[in-house]
Amino acid sequence: MTRRKTSHDHQEAPDPFIVVGLDAEWVLESAGKNLILCCQFCVNNADTGAKAELIIFLKDGKRITLENGLTRAMLVAVKQGIIAKVPNRFIIAAHFTRADLTTFKDFKLFKRSVGAVRKSYATTDRPLQLCLASNEGPVRCSATVVDTMMLSPAGASLDKLGKLLGVPKVEMP
């Protein structure tokens, strides 16, 4: 009796190593109330070094969902040829996630899926489960959330880290 061999020719290549940088800008509007100006995304394909950037300017401070922002950023990356398709797994990196993640309209829906780590948010047990739109239809994704502040010297601002790495922070008007 012989074993039946299965062809592996039909299997897709694994997802590239994708890191999505995330940042939000806001101004203090009134006592305890922030006006969100924009959300910035940078989809970095670590396998090729190529990246696609997107800034979503918010009208009248109307917030978007995390899935909406990530979908738009991924579709820009696909259009620019940075990635072939929306990946099933990727990393979301932000500097001080406690400030950036809370700017999204659906934060209350996913906040229990991220852990509180040293006064910020990061995935600790399981990745964040998301559903992003793509040209082929909805894509179920797992996203690991990391806070770069936890990886940097104590008290280092994003501006200071950018200068150390030779990447100056872009000032918003």
Side-chain angles (χ1 to χ4, degrees):
M1 193 165 159
T2 60
R3 272 193 183 171
R4 184 177 155 172
K5 294 182 181 179
T6 57
S7 171
H8 296 289
D9 294 339
H10 67 280
Q11 291 182 346
E12 292 183 32
D15 285 332
F17 186 69
I18 303 297
V19 178
V20 180
L22 168 66
D23 190 27
E25 299 295 332
W26 64 89
V27 292
L28 186 62
E29 188 176 43
S30 61
K33 190 91 167 149
N34 291 327
L35 176 68
I36 311 303
L37 302 174
C38 67
C39 295
Q40 302 164 59
F41 298 87
C42 181
V43 179
N44 182 10
N45 183 335
D47 291 347
T48 65
K51 63 182 176 180
E53 298 173 349
L54 173 68
I55 300 176
I56 301 172
F57 292 96
L58 305 175
K59 293 183 177 143
D60 301 321
K62 295 202 188 294
R63 297 172 187 230
I64 61 171
T65 65
L66 179 61
E67 288 179 340
N68 177 280
L70 288 169
T71 291
R72 291 165 67 177
M74 292 292 187
L75 291 177
V76 166
V78 169
K79 186 175 181 179
Q80 292 180 5
I82 306 304
I83 54 177
K85 64 183 181 70
V86 174
N88 295 102
R89 295 174 26 180
F90 57 91
I91 294 171
I92 298 171
H95 196 73
F96 195 45
T97 55
R98 188 173 90 192
D100 293 318
L101 291 179
T102 60
T103 63
F104 291 99
K105 183 162 70 172
D106 57 346
F107 175 68
K108 289 183 181 179
L109 298 176
F110 68 79
K111 75 176 179 182
R112 298 224 186 280
S113 299
V114 291
V117 180
R118 292 188 1 221
K119 298 184 181 180
S120 198
Y121 297 113
T123 50
T124 55
D125 295 328
R126 293 182 304 251
L128 189 60
Q129 299 302 307
L130 302 167
C131 186
L132 304 185
S134 78
N135 297 329
E136 295 80 30
V139 178
R140 290 216 157 285
C141 304
S142 297
T144 301
V145 178
V146 298
D147 191 328
T148 58
M149 187 173 281
M150 292 182 213
L151 305 173
S152 62
S157 68
L158 192 56
D159 184 39
K160 188 183 244 182
L161 288 175
K163 287 177 183 169
L164 287 170
L165 296 171
V167 183
K169 184 176 177 181
V170 176
E171 293 298 327
M172 300 300 295

